[in-house]
Amino acid sequence: MDTIKVEEFYTVLLESTQLIKDDLDSTFIEAFIETGENIIDNGEIQIENNLPKPETRDKLKKLYDSLSVDDLSLEEKKKAIQMMLINTVKEERLQVNHQPTPDGIGVILSYFIELFYDKDEALHLADLSVGSGNLLYTLFTTLFSNNSKIKLTGVDNDELLISLASTVSGLLNIPIQLMHQDALQPLLLDPVDVMVSDLPIGYYPKDVESDAFQTGFEEGYSYSHYLLIEQGFNYLKENGYAFYLLPTNVFESEEVKSLLQYVHSVGHVQAIIHMPHEWFSSPKSRKSLFIVQKKGNKSKQVSEVLVSTVPSLNDQNAFKEFILDIKEWKKEQQI
């Protein structure tokens, strides 16, 4: 990776976003989307109601002309966009459920997907709470950039985040089908090989019919993260795996028993992997990877559910040993 190219692309994105934000009096995320669309459109500046102003257009053109996106690798573009997404979180003070999944977590998840799937096979990956799309794009960049048979689908009910996901996919030239709708309503979604999601945590703000979702609560609002896990099973192929990021404290709550009971009725709990401590500001914010499999003629419940903690990535030897231990567990469990 050429860090100079990354820095140059990031600078163009940041400065052009600030110019548009100030000139149009828009939010940072709206300005980021607009400058991204300009870059995708070969530097053609969108003009509406004579905005941006002519002098701003001149500055934008100079920035766009200084950049040759085609000279950047996918990894370089992804790194610059990750830096922009971090800026977006700060500028917009995005609530936790709307924040992009950090690339480091996506890379860890990619190790586990590669444990169960060949990265060259035809696979359909879907995220029912796609947000900015950063998790899917990290998986694509890490695992599937040379796989023309990969298919990505993202669903989200937030119009601005879906627009951001669309812009980022265009900048990265990663094909994806994006669906702007409530993921807990019926979906026109082809069967999925792999479900992934950094699940939004909280209550679903609508009453759920008891016959529609088994994970719904009998009284009051239900947990959206439970409902999304169940919805994921509805569209997952038999034997397929789902990889969900959840706060670690979810697994320590009394209510998790009902979720586990549901999962065991339709699939198998195969692993719970805790992310490194140092990635989170407090124990309350720490996340874990919940790996489940849908029942099928080739699936089975492991005799020993893997519960482990990812070591610090700063300790490369410990991390390599961790990966070897995971592979040995999979071999022993014959899955």
Side-chain angles (χ1 to χ4, degrees):
M1 184 190 297
D2 188 329
T3 55
I4 294 175
K5 286 184 177 180
V6 172
E7 188 63 36
E8 288 174 347
F9 186 32
Y10 169 67
T11 299
V12 169
L13 287 171
L14 181 60
E15 291 185 1
S16 59
T17 295
Q18 290 287 6
L19 281 169
I20 292 171
K21 177 180 181 291
D22 294 342
D23 205 53
L24 274 62
D25 194 24
S26 68
T27 64
F28 187 88
I29 194 169
E30 289 168 336
F32 179 24
I33 291 168
E34 181 153 337
T35 200
E37 293 300 320
N38 290 343
I39 292 169
I40 293 165
D41 201 19
N42 298 313
E44 190 71 31
I45 298 167
Q46 303 173 53
I47 302 170
E48 188 173 342
N49 299 324
N50 205 35
L51 291 175
K53 297 169 187 170
E55 55 268 33
T56 303
R57 289 176 226 163
D58 291 341
K59 292 176 183 176
L60 288 171
K61 187 176 187 308
K62 189 175 180 180
L63 281 169
Y64 298 150
D65 287 347
S66 72
L67 177 72
S68 180
V69 181
D70 293 338
D71 290 341
L72 279 80
S73 69
L74 173 60
E75 188 182 13
E76 288 161 352
K77 288 189 286 187
K78 181 72 175 61
K79 181 65 176 177
I81 288 170
Q82 180 201 7
M83 292 159 69
M84 278 298 294
L85 291 174
I86 292 170
N87 260 324
T88 302
V89 171
K90 293 176 182 175
E91 290 280 344
E92 301 282 3
R93 297 181 182 176
L94 292 178
Q95 58 155 297
V96 173
N97 284 341
H98 288 170
Q99 292 180 11
T101 306
D103 282 18
I105 289 180
V107 170
I108 294 296
L109 200 156
S110 73
Y111 279 104
F112 284 93
I113 291 178
E114 195 172 12
L115 196 66
F116 298 102
Y117 293 95
D118 185 335
K119 62 182 179 181
D120 295 320
E121 65 181 298
L123 291 173
H124 180 192
L125 279 74
D127 186 341
L128 300 188
S129 55
V130 72
S132 67
N134 200 51
L135 178 57
L136 279 180
Y137 301 145
T138 302
L139 295 176
F140 182 91
T141 306
T142 307
L143 286 179
F144 303 114
S145 58
N146 295 317
N147 184 350
S148 61
K149 297 173 288 188
I150 207 73
K151 178 181 178 182
L152 304 179
T153 301
V155 184
D156 207 289
N157 65 349
D158 189 294
E159 185 175 2
L160 197 58
L161 289 178
I162 279 284
S163 295
L164 178 59
S166 177
T167 299
V168 173
S169 77
L171 288 169
L172 296 173
N173 198 26
I174 295 177
I176 185 171
Q177 179 188 15
L178 292 168
M179 303 165 66
H180 175 221
Q181 73 167 94
D182 184 342
L184 294 175
Q185 300 301 315
L187 301 169
L188 290 172
L189 181 62
D190 292 332
V192 174
D193 296 287
V194 185
M195 279 286 180
V196 300
S197 197
D198 189 350
L199 291 169
I201 304 302
Y203 291 100
Y204 182 55
K206 298 179 183 177
D207 289 326
V208 173
E209 299 292 335
S210 58
D211 58 346
F213 286 95
Q214 295 180 48
T215 55
F217 297 153
E218 290 184 8
E219 296 181 5
Y221 290 146
S222 302
Y223 284 151
S224 58
H225 42 298
Y226 285 17
L227 300 175
L228 284 165
I229 289 173
E230 181 172 348
Q231 184 77 314
F233 271 108
N234 292 336
Y235 292 92
L236 192 60
K237 292 179 182 178
E238 288 188 357
N239 308 302
Y241 280 87
F243 303 82
Y244 293 118
L245 285 158
L246 290 161
T248 302
N249 58 24
V250 164
F251 300 101
E252 300 162 357
S253 67
E254 188 66 26
E255 295 96 332
V256 78
K257 291 178 182 177
S258 64
L259 174 64
L260 295 176
Q261 184 178 9
Y262 163 74
V263 172
H264 284 302
S265 72
V266 294
H268 315 294
V269 175
Q270 307 293 38
I272 298 173
I273 308 297
H274 305 306
M275 294 295 111
H277 290 275
E278 70 266 21
W279 285 3
F280 304 94
S281 58
S282 68
K284 189 177 179 181
S285 63
R286 192 180 180 201
K287 291 196 175 186
S288 298
L289 181 61
F290 187 43
I291 302 176
V292 295
Q293 183 181 23
K294 188 169 181 176
K295 286 181 179 177
N297 58 356
K298 296 179 182 177
S299 77
K300 72 169 190 174
Q301 175 63 57
V302 294
S303 59
E304 180 187 348
V305 174
L306 177 64
V307 180
S308 187
T309 298
V310 180
S312 170
L313 298 195
N314 295 326
D315 188 341
Q316 287 298 307
N317 289 331
F319 185 73
K320 287 177 183 176
E321 191 171 325
F322 168 76
I323 296 298
L324 289 174
D325 288 345
I326 300 297
K327 290 179 178 178
E328 184 61 29
W329 164 82
K330 182 176 182 289
K331 184 179 178 182
E332 289 176 357
Q333 298 299 319
Q334 298 180 332
I335 58 170

